[in-house]
Amino acid sequence: MMGMLQSTFDERWNAARIPRRLWLPSLERLSTARETKKSWSLKVESNCRSSQFIIDQSWSICLNGPVLLSSDAMENREIVNVDLSEGDELAARQLRRGCLKDGFFYLKGHGVEEELIKAVFEEARKFFALPLETKMMLSTSTNRNNRGYTRMGEETLDPESQSSGDTKEGYYIGVEESESDALSETPFHGPNLWPSEELLPQWRDVMMAYHNRMVRLGRRMCPVVSRALGLPPAYFDGYFVQPIAILRLLRYSEAKSEPHLGVFGAGAHTDYGMLTFLRTDQQPGLQIRPRGCDDWVNVPPMNEAFIVNVGDMLQRWTNDLFLSTPHRVVSTSGQERFSVPFFYDPGYHSEIRCVETCVSGENPARYPPVIAGEHIMEMYEKTHADFEP
């Protein structure tokens, strides 16, 4: 019976000349179909979700539920919870499961004070509310360390698919180092740029307190990652003696994304380093495309938890065991949205090669060794209009 219904439905769908983009790209089967005098009621299943919809006599589509019939439509994804308060052994098992499943996980029990996180968002809002000419005085284009302000649309994370730059502005903050520090000659190192204390008297103190706290969290996570890979807990320590540790403040404009026109809050991309720790406000927007999924799915924020994802360096280290999952931001609310990612990446000169627990005679290394900072530099050059190495 289902075969006959599938065949009849396919014939009517094709006869109606409905664009294929309205169909689920990862459709596996039509699981239920019922024809009445006025409409077809159908349930379709894909490898990432199930959707129900109705097609009436005029072949207009009536959605039954929140999922749109297009490759840009999603449901929420249930990603793994990792809780550091439960101990490293259990956290490592949770992390491994999350990195194998989605390359994303929620991090709880992290110890970063919510009051500090709240202060970061408050100070970020104050900065982005300043006049553009004031913000541009702190532009990344004024220094070689990639510190400071990035204007709206300056970054285009998916140049092949986007018709314009990301509808966001941002601010980069790294490890604070003086000009006289030898490391300041290395890309992504050196002094930060700070707004005037007359304008924002608490800004520098709040941002550095948060940056320092997040570096500690990054170091806390390294032995958990090591355990998840069957490595000694201190395996990654040498790679993070002088990490590339970047805090970024982001404000997405009120403009709604239009994926079919190439307009995104942030275009599809993977992150470049080891781990990214993300906090956002309650506005939706983050979408991921996990391993084995053709569709994009939503990852909503969780109260008092970070959203953490694998970056390119960890994918290379693990020989594709943990994947650096594509993600993007699609703004749908018509309201501005704030987020604060923290990128915890190996030192610039670190050589990244597949770890011994992830290679074998049957599974040889897929990647040659790479210098971490050179890879990150290459990606910044491709996506930032104002970046000058």
Side-chain angles (χ1 to χ4, degrees):
M1 181 63 180
M2 277 303 303
M4 293 177 61
L5 285 169
Q6 177 80 65
S7 176
T8 304
F9 174 75
D10 286 345
E11 290 174 3
R12 294 193 182 187
W13 184 276
N14 293 331
R17 297 182 180 179
I18 296 176
R20 290 296 294 179
R21 70 179 178 82
L22 293 177
W23 188 246
L24 292 172
S26 58
L27 178 66
E28 292 177 347
R29 66 187 183 278
L30 180 67
S31 61
T32 62
R34 179 170 58 86
E35 184 176 15
T36 69
K37 292 182 179 179
K38 294 184 179 181
S39 67
W40 278 64
S41 176
L42 305 112
K43 181 179 180 182
V44 294
E45 294 186 5
S46 73
N47 59 352
C48 295
R49 63 175 179 216
S50 295
S51 302
Q52 295 181 352
F53 59 96
I54 295 171
I55 299 178
D56 64 20
Q57 286 179 321
S58 65
W59 285 88
S60 62
I61 296 174
C62 308
L63 183 66
N64 179 16
V67 181
L68 300 174
L69 282 176
S70 79
S71 60
D72 297 316
M74 289 124 304
E75 63 183 6
N76 288 346
R77 182 77 165 180
E78 293 185 6
I79 63 174
V80 169
N81 290 332
V82 177
D83 192 340
L84 290 178
S85 68
E86 296 180 349
D88 284 10
E89 186 174 342
L90 179 56
R93 293 200 299 270
Q94 295 167 338
L95 182 145
R96 183 180 177 92
R97 187 166 69 251
C99 292
L100 289 173
K101 177 177 177 283
D102 294 317
F104 274 74
F105 56 88
Y106 293 117
L107 182 64
K108 302 162 63 177
H110 47 73
V112 181
E113 301 81 2
E114 289 299 313
E115 284 301 311
L116 177 57
I117 296 170
K118 180 181 178 181
V120 169
F121 276 91
E122 289 176 351
E123 294 298 320
R125 288 177 180 272
K126 292 176 185 178
F127 173 80
F128 288 122
L130 294 174
L132 178 60
E133 57 269 25
T134 302
K135 294 184 287 189
M136 286 301 295
M137 293 174 62
L138 298 166
S139 170
T140 57
S141 63
T142 65
N143 67 97
R144 61 182 298 274
N145 305 319
N146 200 51
R147 305 291 175 85
Y149 176 69
T150 52
R151 56 189 166 78
M152 187 71 66
E154 183 270 344
E155 187 174 22
T156 307
L157 283 166
D158 187 9
E160 293 184 2
S161 300
Q162 290 182 245
S163 58
S164 58
D166 298 349
T167 58
K168 69 177 191 293
E169 55 184 330
Y171 202 97
Y172 281 110
I173 300 167
V175 177
E176 180 69 5
E177 294 148 339
S178 69
E179 290 279 8
S180 60
D181 193 315
L183 196 62
S184 68
E185 297 298 317
T186 304
F188 304 112
H189 290 276
N192 288 297
L193 297 182
W194 301 108
S196 164
E197 290 188 3
E198 294 180 359
L199 291 175
L200 299 172
Q202 304 300 319
W203 210 83
R204 176 172 178 165
D205 289 345
V206 168
M207 296 307 165
M208 286 313 302
Y210 184 71
H211 187 281
N212 293 337
R213 188 65 188 82
M214 293 305 296
V215 169
R216 287 165 53 195
L217 179 58
R219 288 180 177 152
R220 172 74 181 83
M221 287 295 292
C222 282
V224 179
V225 176
S226 298
R227 288 175 182 269
L229 295 170
L231 296 166
Y235 182 88
F236 290 107
D237 288 0
Y239 295 95
F240 291 92
V241 175
Q242 296 173 324
I244 299 174
I246 302 295
L247 166 62
R248 196 173 188 200
L249 314 174
L250 294 172
R251 173 192 167 269
Y252 294 86
S253 75
E254 298 86 346
K256 289 187 177 182
S257 298
E258 298 181 276
H260 62 291
L261 297 177
V263 178
F264 295 90
H269 64 287
T270 59
D271 289 345
Y272 314 141
M274 183 180 183
L275 291 173
T276 301
F277 301 82
L278 176 70
R279 288 298 292 259
T280 75
D281 59 17
Q282 294 305 306
Q283 295 297 329
L286 176 62
Q287 300 172 356
I288 70 174
R289 192 172 60 203
R291 186 195 312 247
C293 270
D294 296 321
D295 299 331
W296 292 91
V297 291
N298 292 318
V299 176
M302 175 185 285
N303 287 336
E304 299 189 3
F306 286 96
I307 300 171
V308 183
N309 65 277
V310 171
D312 297 346
M313 294 296 99
L314 190 50
Q315 175 171 325
R316 295 181 77 105
W317 258 319
T318 64
N319 204 27
D320 288 351
L321 180 68
F322 296 168
L323 290 187
S324 181
T325 299
H327 52 285
R328 66 186 188 180
V329 172
V330 173
S331 300
T332 59
S333 67
Q335 301 179 46
E336 63 181 0
R337 176 181 181 270
F338 292 85
S339 72
V340 181
F342 180 81
F343 305 96
Y344 191 65
D345 303 336
Y348 186 92
H349 298 292
S350 297
E351 183 180 76
I352 309 303
R353 60 174 67 237
C354 299
V355 300
E356 57 267 26
T357 57
C358 295
V359 295
S360 66
E362 296 75 29
N363 183 35
R366 295 175 171 86
Y367 302 100
V370 67
I371 302 303
E374 293 177 0
H375 170 75
I376 297 172
M377 284 270 289
E378 179 183 354
M379 300 309 296
Y380 271 60
E381 289 184 61
K382 288 179 179 179
T383 58
H384 280 287
D386 293 344
F387 180 71
E388 295 184 5

